[in-house]
């Protein structure tokens, strides 16, 4: 039987593209296994789909100083040993890696076992985990043309990003019911990335009375970031993280205020939702969200507000302006050429599959 191992984790952005591939893999008759960390957020996301999940030990790859930098290499080594054992037992035809630090031992073990490996990079430049994995991979898929330029010529393929099909099948009534909204006001979705974003959360909560005059506001605020004092604010609802309800929330969204994670913005584009992006600052990252956001603004899909420039009036103004001009953004998004990522990736997976 055809077999594939998927891997990726740490944040939802390293898991949802894998999830997007699962229906197509099932349709083609693949037996699917997933390797993630023992206790990362990928575990429940994958187990809830009934996919065989195997946890391994993993260490974070940090660019900054921490005492854990001394113990984490040992965990990565342990993860490598565990991955070797798992791959030797499962003997998959292909390993597909979506990035995140857990994937490093898996991809290295796949190379040792001579199992063909594909990795996918969502951002403009490869993350640290993917950087380490590129020499071991057979193919590297890119979401952005800009990333392709930085990849070895014989390995890089422009695929775009796989988006979960279910996101296109949201139900308005269910979305309104879930949020407790009447449907009379336009809906503003605030989403701070899969882990939440304190800067975005605070800025929005500071102008809530003004926002709720115009919009019903649904706020995906990140784990541990819901605040009791906002529980009863009329026209405002907060969720720390939503899973299957995401599609219904997108369905009722008239405008989004979002971090500029690669998957989030590709979903907004595919669903043609006008948006204002607040990219994660270069101080807290390698700056890819800024590049993502600038590129989307240049193409007329988004407005951008940099974290350092947030003021109460400025934030309200850019949200209102973008909402007033929403049709312009929707038209630009409709005219954007989009890659059929799921099919491109499936063709490559099938090419690398030997057994049947
Ligand atoms: C802090 C950080 O390192 N961020 C990175 C991370 O972002 P992050 O993990 O936030 O990823 P994205 O914004 O790309 O994707 C978030 C995903 O989670 C889903 N979602 C979100 C909230 C929720 O309640 N429910 C839900 O299902 C979204 O629909 C989307 O599919 O990976 C991205 C892709 O490599 C990068 O571009 C980001 O820079």
């Amino acid at each position: 039987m055809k077999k594939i191992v998927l891997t990726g984790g740490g944040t939802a952005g390293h898991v949802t593209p894998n999830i997007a591939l699962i229906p197509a893999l099932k349709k083609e008759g693949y037996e699917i296994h997933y390797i993630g960390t023992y206790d990362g957020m990928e575990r429940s996301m994958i187990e809830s789909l009934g996919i065989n999940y195997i946890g391994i030990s993993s260490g974070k790859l940090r660019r900054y100083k921490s005492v854990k930098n001394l113990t984490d290499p040992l965990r990565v080594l342990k993860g490598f040993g565990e991955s070797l054992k798992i791959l030797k037992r499962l003997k998959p035809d292909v390993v597909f890696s979506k990035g995140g630090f857990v994937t490093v031992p898996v991809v290295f073990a796949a190379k040792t076992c001579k199992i063909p490996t594909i990795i996918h990079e969502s951002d403009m430049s490869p993350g640290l985990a993917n950087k380490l994995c590129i020499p071991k991979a057979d193919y590297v898929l890119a979401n952005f043309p800009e990333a392709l330029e930085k990849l070895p010529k014989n390995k890089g393929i422009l695929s775009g990003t796989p988006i979960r099909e279910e996101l296109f099948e949201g139900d308005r009534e269910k979305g309104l019911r879930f949020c407790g909204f009447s449907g009379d006001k336009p809906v503003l979705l605030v989403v701070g990335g899969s882990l939440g974003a304190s800067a975005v959360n605070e800025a929005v909560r500071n102008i809530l009375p003004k926002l709720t005059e115009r919009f019903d506001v649904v706020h995906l605020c990140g784990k541990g970031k819901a605040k009791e004092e906002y529980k009863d604010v009329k026209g405002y609802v907060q969720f720390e993280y939503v899973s299957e309800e995401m599609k219904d929330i997108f369905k009722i969204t008239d405008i989004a205020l979002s971090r500029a994670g690669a998957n989030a913005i590709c979903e907004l584009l595919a669903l043609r939702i006008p948006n204002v992006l607040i990219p994660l600052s270069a101080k807290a990252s390698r700056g890819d969200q800024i590049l993502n956001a600038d590129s989307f603004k240049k193409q007329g899909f988004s407005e951008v507000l940099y974290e350092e420039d947030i003021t109460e009036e400025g934030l309200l103004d850019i949200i209102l302006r973008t909402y007033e001009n929403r049709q312009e953004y929707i038209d630009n998004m409709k005219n954007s050429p989009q890659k059929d990522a799921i099919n491109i990736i499936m063709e490559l997976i099938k090419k690398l599959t030997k057994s049947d």
Side-chain angles (χ1 to χ4, degrees), residues 123-308:
D123 292 301
M124 294 267 183
S125 63
L128 185 53
N130 270 358
K131 249 188 203 157
L132 294 169
C133 290
I134 288 170
K136 308 287 176 195
D138 293 84
Y139 291 99
V140 187
L141 305 178
N143 179 24
F144 290 107
E146 291 89 335
L148 201 62
E149 290 157 18
K150 298 179 187 111
L151 298 174
K153 290 272 166 302
N154 55 340
K155 291 191 181 185
I157 297 177
L158 184 65
S159 69
T161 213
I163 290 178
R164 292 167 288 170
E165 275 164 18
E166 67 187 56
L167 291 185
F168 297 91
E169 293 153 10
D171 183 311
R172 184 172 162 80
E173 286 312 311
K174 276 193 193 157
L176 290 173
R177 212 177 319 126
F178 183 68
C179 293
F181 296 157
S182 65
D184 295 338
K185 275 188 183 162
V187 172
L188 167 69
L189 165 66
V190 180
V191 49
S194 63
L195 307 177
S198 302
V200 176
N201 292 352
E202 205 184 295
V204 164
R205 285 169 176 151
N206 284 343
I207 57 166
L208 257 193
K210 293 231 167 74
L211 281 178
T212 48
E213 269 174 30
R214 276 305 292 280
F215 303 100
D216 276 335
V217 181
V218 47
H219 188 174
L220 307 181
C221 58
K223 217 165 179 197
K225 297 192 172 89
K227 289 250 170 85
E228 192 64 25
E229 68 241 56
Y230 296 99
K231 228 179 89 221
D232 298 319
V233 176
K234 202 170 168 302
Y236 173 76
V237 62
Q238 48 183 349
F239 301 105
E240 298 201 339
Y241 186 83
V242 297
S243 302
E244 66 266 32
E245 300 85 6
M246 195 73 204
K247 59 180 186 303
D248 304 325
I249 292 181
F250 274 141
K251 186 76 183 174
I252 61 170
T253 298
D254 295 286
I255 174 167
L257 175 71
S258 175
R259 271 291 193 218
N263 296 288
I265 62 171
C266 287
E267 289 167 1
L268 293 172
L269 170 61
L271 297 167
R272 324 249 192 261
I273 298 175
N275 58 83
V276 176
L277 302 176
I278 303 182
L280 183 64
S281 84
K283 280 184 219 126
S285 67
R286 67 184 192 283
D288 266 54
Q289 289 202 8
I290 296 177
L291 301 178
N292 292 349
D294 287 347
S295 161
F296 266 46
K297 181 177 160 85
K298 211 167 112 204
Q299 297 177 76
F301 307 150
S302 311
E303 280 305 322
V304 179
L305 180 60
Y306 302 110
E307 205 169 307
E308 306 75 51

